[in-house]
Amino acid sequence: MSVMNAREYGAASELDPASLIWEDERHYRVHTRAYTDQAVFDAEMERIFARVWVFVGHDSEIPNPGDYKTAYIGTQPVIVTRADDGAVHVLVNRCVHRGAVIAREARGTVRDFTCPYHGWVFALDGKLLAVSERNDSGGYAPDFDVPEGLHRVPRVDSYRGLIFACLDPDAVDLDTYLGRAKKTIDRKFGRSPVGRIAVRGKPFVMRYQGNWKFQVENIVDAYHFLHTHKGFVALQAKYGETTGDYGAHKGGSAKAMRQVRFKGSSWALRHGHAQLENSGTANPDELLSGPHREYYEALRDIHGPDEFPFVVGRMSGTIFPNLGLIHQQIRTWRPIAPDVTEVTIYLYDLVDAPKEFNDGWMRSQERFYGPAGHGMADDVDIFARNQQGLAGSAVEWLLLERGLQTDEKLANGDTKGLPASEAPQRALWQAWKQLMAQR
C-alpha cells in the first residue's frame, strides 16, 4: 500500500485522511499521526465536532427556567440554558462585544447573563438586552449596528433527557444520527421503572496526557479489562462484593470474569457509535429472588421476558464523538490538544428505583472510577503510555484487526461482532475517515 510519508502532512486543508487508515480484507490499521498531529486535531474540530451532534448535558441538570450549565462542542465553549418558556438553548459562551467568556461556573441559576468585561446583558435565550453606557461620552453612534445577542447553536434536540447540539444546520436529524445506539440509552435508562434518570451531585473531572480518541476506543473495549485492570481483578477475586461491587464486575477468579465478559456481542454502528451488548452477566432468576425482587419484577413486566435480561445485563456504548454510557454513569470527554483530554463522569440515579439500589451503584462507581478508585487510574496511565509510545516515528501503524474476519456486516450498515472484537473501535475510525474527507 502506498502511504504518504509522515513528514509530508501539512495544514488541515491539505490532509488526506484516507492515507491515515490502511483498510483491506486482511488489514485495519491507523497511522500514528491520527493521534499526534496538530493539523489532524485542528481538522477534527472543523470536520467532526463542528458537523455532528455533540452531547452537552442532561435535562436534570437544568430543571428550571434560569438554570444553566457550561459545556464544550470540541474546543468551542457553550452555555446550555433553560429559558423562561422552558425551552433549552445552547449558546456560544463568548460575548459578542470583545469575546470574553460569559459563564465560567459548571452550573448555576441566573436571571440573565452579564459579561464581566463591559457589562453587556443577555437574556436566557441569548438575546441582547442591554449595552452598558451606550449613549455616554464616547458611546455608540445612533445608527450603531447592534448585534442580536449571543450566537445560538442552530440545532438543539434531546433523546430521553440527553441534550445534543449541532453547529451544522444541515446535519441529519438526531433520531437518524443515533440509530441503533438508542438501544444503549433505552436499556440503561430502562432500569428505572419510569424510564428516567437524574444526574446525582457534582461530576468527577480529570485530565489525561493523551488523545481524545483513546477514551472513545477504550470504553467499548472488552479486550483490555483483565490486563489493564489486573490489580483490580485480583482484588475482586479475593474480596468479591464485600468491596462494594454491587454487581458491576461479576465473577470471582480471572477465569470466571473472562467467561462473563466474553459473552454477548459487540457492535460497530453507523455514524461512529458502538456497543458492547451482553445479557449473560445478570441471572434473571437470581435477581427475581433477591433483595430487590419487587423492583426487578416490575422491570420484567415493563420490558417483557425477552428484553428484561438485556435491560439488567451488561451494556456499554459510545455516541460518537463525545459520549459514553457505562454502568450507572454518563461519561463525556472534550479534546483540548492532540495529547490532552478532559473527562467528566456524571453518576445518576434511576428515578423510582430503590434508594439502596442507587446508593449501592454509587459506591461501586466510587470504588472503580472515583478519585481514589482503581479503574480510571489504570486507564489514564495506559492512555499516557499510548501517547508516549506514539511520540516515536520508527513504527507508523496501530493494529485494529481483532475480529475482522468474523464480523457480520448487516444490510443497514451496522456491523455485529464477537464480544471481544475490535469492531467498536473500527466504528469510530469509519466515521472519522468519512467526516475528515469532507472539506
Side-chain angles (χ1 to χ4, degrees):
M1 177 182 181
S2 176
V3 180
M4 184 186 298
N5 186 286
R7 290 186 294 274
E8 296 177 10
Y9 292 116
S13 61
E14 300 171 354
L15 284 172
D16 176 13
S19 68
L20 297 176
I21 296 180
W22 174 0
E23 179 183 8
D24 58 37
E25 291 183 358
R26 296 180 55 248
H27 302 94
Y28 203 102
R29 303 186 180 186
V30 178
H31 198 279
T32 295
R33 286 296 179 102
Y35 298 89
T36 61
D37 193 282
Q38 183 66 50
V40 171
F41 180 86
D42 293 341
E44 289 172 340
M45 299 306 105
E46 297 172 5
R47 304 179 191 179
I48 296 177
F49 282 87
R51 292 179 177 173
V52 303
W53 290 94
V54 176
F55 171 75
V56 292
H58 187 264
D59 63 7
S60 65
E61 298 178 90
I62 52 168
N64 303 307
D67 292 343
Y68 76 90
K69 68 162 293 186
T70 52
Y72 286 83
I73 299 177
T75 54
Q76 176 66 61
V78 296
I79 307 170
V80 186
T81 176
R82 192 175 296 277
D84 290 329
D85 62 358
V88 175
H89 299 275
V90 180
L91 313 171
V92 172
N93 193 359
R94 167 179 166 164
C95 183
V96 294
H97 176 216
R98 297 274 286 278
V101 166
I102 297 290
R104 273 186 166 175
E105 298 297 322
R107 288 170 63 178
T109 303
V110 295
R111 294 180 60 183
D112 50 48
F113 295 105
T114 301
C115 178
Y117 196 2
H118 297 98
W120 286 32
V121 182
F122 304 88
L124 296 171
D125 63 358
K127 181 180 179 181
L128 178 61
L129 297 178
V131 175
S132 61
E133 294 85 39
R134 176 173 176 175
N135 299 317
D136 288 359
S137 176
Y140 295 94
D143 61 349
F144 168 55
D145 188 7
V146 184
E148 292 184 4
L150 301 178
H151 178 76
R152 294 184 186 178
V153 175
R155 305 284 297 280
V156 180
D157 204 348
S158 66
Y159 183 75
R160 299 195 70 157
L162 296 171
I163 303 169
F164 296 84
C166 184
L167 290 166
D168 183 358
D170 298 321
V172 299
D173 63 275
L174 178 63
D175 190 75
T176 300
Y177 183 71
L178 293 176
R180 193 185 193 275
K182 289 182 290 186
K183 276 188 175 292
T184 304
I185 304 170
D186 293 341
R187 287 168 172 171
K188 286 290 184 184
F189 296 3
R191 293 187 179 190
S192 158
V194 294
R196 292 187 291 111
I197 68 163
V199 171
R200 180 171 185 163
K202 294 182 178 180
F204 168 41
V205 183
M206 53 77 62
R207 291 189 180 188
Y208 66 82
Q209 298 294 316
N211 191 265
W212 65 277
K213 297 183 290 295
F214 291 142
Q215 175 65 96
V216 188
E217 294 171 337
N218 187 73
I219 199 170
V220 283
D221 184 335
Y223 188 26
H224 81 286
F225 189 90
L226 295 168
H227 307 282
T228 302
H229 305 300
K230 187 179 296 185
F232 175 79
V233 171
L235 179 78
Q236 178 80 358
K238 184 173 183 179
Y239 295 104
E241 297 210 2
T242 62
T243 62
D245 179 67
Y246 217 76
H249 303 97
K250 281 289 187 184
S253 65
K255 180 179 180 180
M257 294 187 78
R258 180 176 288 105
Q259 290 174 343
V260 167
R261 289 184 165 274
F262 287 3
K263 290 183 179 180
S265 304
S266 62
W267 287 86
L269 306 179
R270 290 167 293 170
H271 304 295
H273 317 317
Q275 294 172 333
L276 295 180
E277 182 180 68
N278 191 339
S279 65
T281 58
N283 184 330
D285 292 334
E286 179 181 319
L287 298 177
L288 292 167
S289 61
H292 301 301
R293 176 176 57 83
E294 293 182 359
Y295 161 69
Y296 284 115
E297 286 178 344
L299 293 185
R300 182 189 58 184
D301 292 342
I302 292 168
H303 298 288
D306 294 334
E307 180 67 6
F308 173 68
F310 289 97
V311 171
V312 298
R314 178 181 302 280
M315 190 167 201
S316 61
T318 56
I319 309 296
F320 185 76
N322 76 321
L323 173 63
L325 297 171
I326 186 170
H327 301 311
Q328 204 158 307
Q329 68 171 252
I330 294 169
R331 190 184 306 182
T332 185
W333 43 88
R334 72 175 179 102
I336 297 174
D339 58 352
V340 182
T341 305
E342 183 175 274
V343 178
T344 302
I345 293 177
Y346 299 87
L347 306 186
Y348 62 79
D349 283 342
L350 298 165
V351 176
D352 284 0
K355 182 179 185 302
E356 57 272 25
F357 184 89
N358 282 321
D359 288 347
W361 270 99
M362 184 179 72
R363 297 280 89 83
S364 174
Q365 306 282 350
E366 290 172 339
R367 183 186 68 158
F368 196 72
Y369 296 104
H374 299 265
M376 183 59 74
D378 292 338
D379 286 336
V380 300
D381 178 61
I382 287 296
F383 301 159
R385 285 172 179 253
N386 287 356
Q387 201 72 33
Q388 182 181 4
L390 297 184
S393 59
V395 180
E396 291 186 292
W397 298 99
L398 291 82
L399 282 66
L400 288 90
E401 295 168 1
R402 186 174 174 87
L404 190 62
Q405 305 302 319
T406 54
D407 288 349
E408 176 188 358
K409 295 184 178 181
L410 306 183
N412 67 355
D414 295 340
T415 298
K416 184 179 182 180
L418 296 176
S421 170
E422 288 174 333
Q425 289 70 42
R426 291 189 287 272
L428 150 68
W429 289 106
Q430 290 292 91
W432 185 92
K433 179 179 178 181
Q434 180 179 5
L435 289 163
M436 291 284 282
Q438 300 177 11
R439 300 289 179 170

